[in-house]
Amino acid sequence: MIKGGVPVEIKRLPHGGGLAMPAYATDGAAGMDVVSAEGLSLRPGGRHAVATGFALAIPEGYEIQVRPRSGLALKHGITVPNTPGTIDSDYRGELKIILVNLGDEPFRIERGDRIAQLVLAPVVQAEWHEVAELSETERGARGFGSTGGHARLV
Ligand SMILES: O=c1ccn([C@H]2C[C@H](O)[C@@H](COP(=O)(O)OP(=O)(O)OP(=O)(O)O)O2)c(=O)[nH]1
Ligand SMILES: [Mg+2]
């Protein structure tokens, strides 16, 4: 992990007053925990774009990925249906966390609860070079289990 930190602009929105900024819970954490700016109940099967109270300006060449928290997923079935969510560097709207309740019970989220984590990651954009024939490889077009599926390797 690169230490020192890439500067990312963050703007607190009016309804974000008093909320904790996304933060790394430990020195070696890959993700910053992000909190909810709203209180709500998610019924089983329900989903919601949860407000965070913050907007970001991610530097060009980076993205932020929105990932679920494993504790919420394991204990309550609360996860991010679009994981990893993509926050583009040119997005200036409010950061929202889409949550879905895959559990059997309604789940209550309070303002200030840590609901997901944000991972800053470098992005490389592609530039297509259209060709008539692709370079040859031993694999060729074989895939989808062609090397033996889930056969044991012991
Ligand atoms: O979990 C998410 C996913 C996206 N976004 C915001 C930031 C992102 O830059 C923008 C667009 O996201 P995405 O490209 O995933 O959605 P889309 O359905 O392709 O919408 P668009 O046509 O606006 O790109 O929405 C969030 O706030 N939270
Ligand atoms: Mg998009």
Side-chain angles (χ1 to χ4, degrees):
M1 189 176 315
I2 302 159
K3 286 286 175 188
V6 173
V8 180
E9 291 180 4
I10 184 164
K11 179 181 171 186
R12 191 183 293 275
L13 302 174
H15 59 283
L19 285 181
M21 271 189 206
Y24 298 102
T26 63
D27 284 351
M32 296 174 270
D33 290 330
V34 60
V35 306
S36 175
E38 52 182 315
L40 65 135
S41 275
L42 268 186
R43 62 172 173 79
R47 59 181 185 274
H48 185 74
V50 182
T52 65
F54 289 97
L56 311 176
I58 301 165
E60 233 178 272
Y62 292 87
E63 62 159 336
I64 280 182
Q65 299 174 359
V66 181
R67 301 192 194 167
R69 297 187 67 211
S70 62
L72 287 178
L74 180 63
K75 290 180 206 148
H76 304 288
I78 299 297
T79 189
V80 174
N82 58 322
T83 191
T86 305
I87 312 301
D88 301 288
S89 65
D90 56 357
Y91 178 70
R92 296 291 178 272
E94 181 175 11
L95 169 68
K96 296 214 172 168
I97 309 298
I98 304 171
L99 291 180
V100 61
N101 182 356
L102 302 180
D104 305 322
E105 306 285 334
F107 187 76
R108 178 85 204 152
I109 292 164
E110 303 296 347
R111 180 179 166 90
D113 285 351
R114 292 178 295 159
I115 51 173
Q117 54 188 325
L118 309 178
V119 174
L120 180 69
V123 167
V124 180
Q125 284 190 340
E127 189 186 283
W128 294 121
H129 286 247
E130 192 174 358
V131 294
E133 297 298 336
L134 298 171
S135 60
E136 284 184 18
T137 67
E138 199 174 315
R139 173 189 283 274
R142 292 191 306 276
F144 314 102
S146 68
T147 64
H150 55 279
R152 243 171 262 137
L153 281 179
V154 288

